[in-house]
Amino acid sequence: MTQFDDRERAYEAKFAHDEEMNFRMIARRNRLLGEWAARKMGLSEEETASYAKDVVRADFEEAGDDDVIRKLMGDLTNAGVEIDDAQIREAIGNKTVEARRQIIQEQS
């Protein structure tokens, strides 16, 4: 019975670790997206840092990426930046890869 309990604890620990890493990766991705959008809007360095935090917070509104997409689309459009949904989704893909790479490098 002990061996089974050990396996179960190991599985639960791995699951918790994977979930934490996924949360960190998504938060990092959203910060990178905020920085990307801020550059497109021509924000200052201080405004960029603040805006990136706002994008991270926007992801807590609902599950999935739609809340972040809506925020980016609205803010970029209001700033006069011509952009469409496909460009934002492409940026999400690119920033996901970049965030994952950064987190893996931090662990090494």
Side-chain angles (χ1 to χ4, degrees), residues 51-71:
Y51 184 75
K53 289 177 186 175
D54 289 343
V55 173
V56 171
R57 278 188 229 108
D59 193 31
F60 297 123
E61 291 177 16
E62 63 186 52
D65 296 332
D66 290 339
D67 44 1
V68 173
I69 292 169
R70 266 194 311 277
K71 174 162 184 53

Side-chain angles (χ1 to χ4, degrees), residues 21-34:
M21 295 308 293
N22 190 49
F23 176 82
R24 289 179 57 207
M25 189 271 305
I26 290 173
R28 174 80 53 99
R29 177 206 66 188
N30 289 340
R31 182 180 54 81
L32 293 169
L33 278 169

Side-chain angles (χ1 to χ4, degrees), residues 73-101:
M73 180 69 82
D75 293 346
L76 288 165
T77 301
N78 288 339
V81 176
E82 287 192 35
I83 196 153
D84 61 23
D85 189 70
Q87 291 170 306
I88 292 175
R89 289 185 186 278
E90 180 181 349
I92 287 174
N94 293 338
K95 298 307 177 188
T96 299
V97 170
E98 186 177 343
R100 184 173 289 122
R101 183 179 29 223

